Amino acid sequence: MEEKAKESNMGYISGSGRPLIADTSLKPMDRIDGFYVRPGAFGVLGATDMGVGVNFTVQSRGATSVELLLFERKAEKPFATLKFPETYKVGYVYSMIVFGLNIEEFEYAYRLDGPYQPEKGLLFDKTKLLLDPYAKAVTGQSEWGVGTGWGHYHARVVQNDFDWGKYRQPMLPMEDLVIYELHVRGFTKHSSSKVENPGTFLGLMEKVPYLKDLGVNAVELMPIFEFDEMRDSREVNGNHLVDYWGYNPVSFFSPNTSYAASTEYNREGSELKRLISFLHENGMEVILDVVFNHTAEGDEKGPFFSFKGFDNNVYYMLTPEGRYYNFSGCGNTLNCNHPMVQQMILDCLRYWVTMYRVDGFRFDLASILGRNEDGSPMNKPPLLQSLAMDSILGHVKLIAEAWDAGGLYQVGTFPAWNRWAEWNGMYRDHLRSFLKGDGGMAKDAVNRIMGSPDLYDPEIRGSNASVNFITCHDGFTLNDLYSYNQKHNEENGWKNTDGSDDNRSWNCGKEGVTRDPQILKLRRKLMRNACAVLLCSRGVPMLLAGDEFCNSQGGNNNPYCQDNEISWLNWNQLKTNRDMFEFFRYMIHFRHCHPALRGKLGAALCGFPEISWQGKTPMEQSFEWDSRVIGVMFAGAPKGGTDDVVFVAVNAFWEEQEMKLPKPPDRSGWRVCIDTGEENPEDCIVEGREIRLAEENKIVLKPRSVQILTVVRTG
């Protein structure tokens, strides 16, 4: 290393972000621990390969000195320690070019000195190795499940040389999306996935043809930021439990290297880029589930590896006594609306959009992003406004989980600037209750199917503010929703105290696995009902991976720590439950074929309103406590085209019900396309072989069933 440094005669224009091209007349200014150095690019945070050397830039408001430590690969002791001279500091920013470094031969970390006053939130400790908050790759994480958990982390310098070719992002309108939420590892880790690289980005890439066949056009990846799965590693009932979900970020700018099939030492996530590029080629967008509400450093008892040592009182919300506010439920809360943290989050999202071509972000516990430094909710949070208005993020989907663990619930009121969509938790809760037959839910169910106009004013928010879902990673799978009355999380090791108790589920008469044919038939009908209603609701539907072939987690509604068959998708179920897959695939196709469901049409020529609703008759628009029959109609016409009319009829009652339909336009009639009340699964989809209704304006809904009708010309 030192010999290479001595030979370097390359120069650098300080602060420009650009190296000079081989100008031997310029000599480096200083020499520290055997390396020639110059002041660096103060506006370029992180470590950047400049060709002639590496630019290292960090910031700290409270530090009194900063040291850069260089390590051989996998080494515990540094081969060089470079203290930033005072002349290499501007404001609170330290920047230095180190010449003669080969990025493939070293790792780096920092040490910072400064005041140690915990009561003021100052935790500087010059003995601690610190990970660069802007690290683009983290070492020691390449092999899943191998590590000590909470060791110190080194960073790597990466080069961005991925060739995107003649690449163009799909740029799909929000209302056209059908989102599919999945866990990168769990999607293909099971041996039944039959992929070459199970549990990795490349393993997921092998399943893209499956996703395309299913018909989804957006994948939402559960956290792929670098996290340490060995966090709180423990043994329970002979099973090794880890931080499987990954909602405890170590580094916001780094992809999780254990999701790579091969070691990518300095290639900046090329396998992830290959995956994203391939998904785009197949017309699918990529949404990342991002966690900016807390970090893996936890509270006072948690590890100390990065943010605590750079500026604990800046990065985290602290009480007046210097302790951690915990609105995340994970020990600490990121101080998102501090200007320095705002900058980091904005820089991070821009990085993922420009370097990885990501199409959207779902923000975990997003209400935290709108809290002030003292934890109070803000009226116009500057971070949320900045993200909504940023030019680089101008076409990116922004989706908020509009609540947090501190009790702030903002579904329908999240500060949106007409840019943010929301996970609609009320859709999940109200449809779960209504579809299993609870009383008093009819009006709420109608509102949710219509796009929740009571929450999102369609004149202001349009038709795509609501991301509708009945299941997601957090909670029961669809199969378990109709197989269990209570959660069964004993395998998590917390005596079944973890996970939500508000599941609104129903076991259909028997808890868990059963061979009773009547119960099994009812469960499958209820799953089809949920699928049909979800995909015929106004808003953006989101499906949970595996629901389309009845994946089960054995009643565990919080398998965050289960890196095993509880969480891994068993692809053998696709063969066993092929009929369910075909139903899901058809419903997705049906949604794509009917723009009236997505709010993309003008007024219907026949005079039907854009959206209308009813009970058992078109005149019934108020509901009693025991109302369990609803109908919602969507209608519209493209410019110069014909009407598209879809009627969604739901009977959540346990007996057969009759429903009168609106009178169809002249020379047209109603046709049933889907009827989940049919005895045989193959008969549930009847489009293409419709039978004219015996009475044109009346249908009979079998117990606990859904019918989807359209208007067709008859003459």
Side-chain angles (χ1 to χ4, degrees), residues 124-138:
F124 291 100
D125 185 343
K126 64 182 179 181
T127 69
K128 298 285 189 181
L129 287 180
L130 301 178
L131 177 67
D132 183 355
Y134 277 68
K136 305 304 190 297
V138 180

Side-chain angles (χ1 to χ4, degrees), residues 10-32:
M10 304 295 281
Y12 186 78
I13 302 176
S14 178
S16 70
R18 299 175 58 190
L20 293 173
I21 302 175
D23 185 347
T24 57
S25 66
L26 291 177
K27 299 293 183 181
M29 292 176 60
D30 299 303
R31 188 167 180 173
I32 304 175

Side-chain angles (χ1 to χ4, degrees), residues 131 138 141 144 150 153 183 222-233 242-252 254 256 259 289-299 302-303 305 307 316 326 328-334 362 364-365 473 558 560-561:
L131 177 67
V138 180
Q141 300 292 105
W144 178 275
W150 304 141
Y153 301 98
H183 187 280
M222 288 173 65
I224 62 159
F225 289 176
E226 190 66 78
F227 65 92
D228 189 345
E229 68 279 359
M230 299 303 289
R231 174 185 184 270
D232 296 332
S233 173
V242 297
D243 184 21
Y244 169 74
W245 277 356
Y247 283 94
N248 283 287
V250 165
S251 176
F252 296 114
S254 306
N256 187 22
Y259 284 170
D289 189 344
V290 294
V291 184
F292 289 112
N293 55 76
H294 74 285
T295 78
E297 288 190 304
D299 58 15
F305 60 78
F307 307 96
Y316 297 116
N326 186 17
S328 67
C330 297
N332 65 52
T333 305
L334 207 62
R362 177 266 186 189
D364 182 65
L365 298 182
H473 72 274
N558 187 39
Y560 74 98
C561 54

Side-chain angles (χ1 to χ4, degrees), residues 207-279:
K207 288 293 187 181
V208 169
Y210 167 82
L211 297 174
K212 189 172 183 180
D213 182 42
L214 179 60
V216 297
N217 55 16
V219 293
E220 183 173 306
L221 304 180
M222 288 173 65
I224 62 159
F225 289 176
E226 190 66 78
F227 65 92
D228 189 345
E229 68 279 359
M230 299 303 289
R231 174 185 184 270
D232 296 332
S233 173
R234 54 203 169 92
E235 296 288 328
V236 173
N237 297 332
N239 293 322
H240 185 205
L241 305 187
V242 297
D243 184 21
Y244 169 74
W245 277 356
Y247 283 94
N248 283 287
V250 165
S251 176
F252 296 114
F253 291 79
S254 306
N256 187 22
T257 48
S258 64
Y259 284 170
S262 58
T263 301
E264 299 183 313
Y265 199 79
N266 299 95
R267 311 315 297 180
E268 196 181 33
S270 62
E271 290 186 13
L272 174 57
K273 290 180 179 179
R274 286 173 59 190
L275 169 63
I276 292 173
S277 180
F278 191 56
L279 284 163

Side-chain angles (χ1 to χ4, degrees), residues 282-550:
N282 284 274
M284 282 175 259
E285 296 196 336
V286 178
I287 298 169
L288 299 186
D289 189 344
V290 294
V291 184
F292 289 112
N293 55 76
H294 74 285
T295 78
E297 288 190 304
D299 58 15
E300 293 83 0
K301 298 179 181 179
F304 187 122
F305 60 78
S306 182
F307 307 96
K308 288 180 178 178
F310 272 95
D311 270 317
N312 182 63
N313 63 338
V314 168
Y315 284 105
Y316 297 116
M317 291 184 190
L318 302 178
T319 69
E321 299 76 31
R323 303 185 68 83
Y324 295 94
Y325 281 117
N326 186 17
F327 299 113
S328 67
C330 297
N332 65 52
T333 305
L334 207 62
N335 193 12
C336 297
N337 284 292
H338 186 285
M340 203 164 91
V341 185
Q342 284 186 60
Q343 177 194 5
M344 181 189 71
I345 294 173
L346 187 56
D347 287 346
C348 179
L349 296 177
R350 286 173 168 174
Y351 177 75
W352 285 100
V353 169
T354 56
M355 294 295 107
Y356 286 85
R357 312 296 171 90
V358 167
D359 304 284
F361 302 96
R362 177 266 186 189
F363 294 79
D364 182 65
L365 298 182
S367 289
I368 283 176
L369 278 62
R371 287 185 182 268
N372 207 337
E373 293 186 54
D374 63 359
S376 60
M378 305 177 77
N379 185 32
K380 292 184 177 180
L383 172 61
L384 299 181
Q385 185 174 21
S386 294
L387 299 183
M389 303 299 180
D390 186 71
S391 295
I392 293 290
L393 307 180
H395 293 294
V396 168
K397 279 80 174 177
L398 302 175
I399 303 171
E401 183 183 37
W403 55 85
D404 66 24
L408 184 56
Y409 190 80
Q410 295 179 303
V411 171
T413 62
F414 191 81
W417 285 276
N418 226 19
R419 277 280 283 120
W420 287 82
E422 300 172 20
W423 264 27
N424 191 342
M426 290 191 185
Y427 184 98
R428 173 198 60 203
D429 295 344
H430 294 166
L431 263 298
R432 281 187 177 191
S433 293
F434 178 74
L435 290 175
K436 76 183 181 73
D438 287 353
M441 300 303 302
K443 180 57 178 176
D444 287 326
V446 164
N447 271 321
R448 303 303 147 246
I449 295 170
M450 293 194 305
S452 297
D454 57 330
L455 302 177
Y456 312 106
D457 186 338
E459 297 298 321
I460 299 174
R461 301 290 296 275
S463 59
N464 54 19
S466 177
V467 175
N468 302 326
F469 65 103
I470 292 177
T471 57
C472 65
H473 72 274
D474 191 1
F476 281 144
T477 67
L478 190 61
N479 179 85
D480 292 357
L481 186 66
Y482 298 118
S483 299
Y484 297 92
N485 281 350
Q486 285 88 32
K487 65 187 182 185
H488 294 270
N489 299 354
E490 291 82 4
E491 293 300 316
N492 294 351
W494 307 115
K495 298 182 179 180
N496 207 31
T497 59
D498 62 306
S500 176
D501 293 311
D502 182 18
N503 296 294
R504 308 187 186 209
S505 60
W506 179 38
N507 65 18
C508 298
K510 172 72 175 179
E511 190 76 356
V513 178
T514 181
R515 294 183 179 180
D516 188 313
Q518 294 305 313
I519 291 177
L520 292 174
K521 184 179 292 187
L522 176 58
R523 288 176 177 177
R524 296 172 84 85
K525 180 162 63 171
L526 293 176
M527 283 188 269
R528 289 190 179 91
N529 291 349
C531 173
V533 170
L534 176 62
L535 286 160
C536 288
S537 295
R538 183 67 60 87
V540 181
M542 186 184 75
L543 308 173
L544 174 63
D547 277 353
E548 71 275 18
F549 51 77
C550 306

Side-chain angles (χ1 to χ4, degrees), residues 435 525-526 529 533 628 630 649-653 655-657 675-678 700-707:
L435 290 175
K525 180 162 63 171
L526 293 176
N529 291 349
V533 170
R628 291 181 173 85
I630 59 172
V650 185
N651 176 21
F653 196 53
E655 295 178 358
E656 186 175 276
Q657 299 290 301
D675 185 355
T676 67
E678 291 292 335
V700 176
L701 293 161
K702 296 181 179 66
R704 301 188 189 276
S705 69
V706 174
Q707 287 189 28

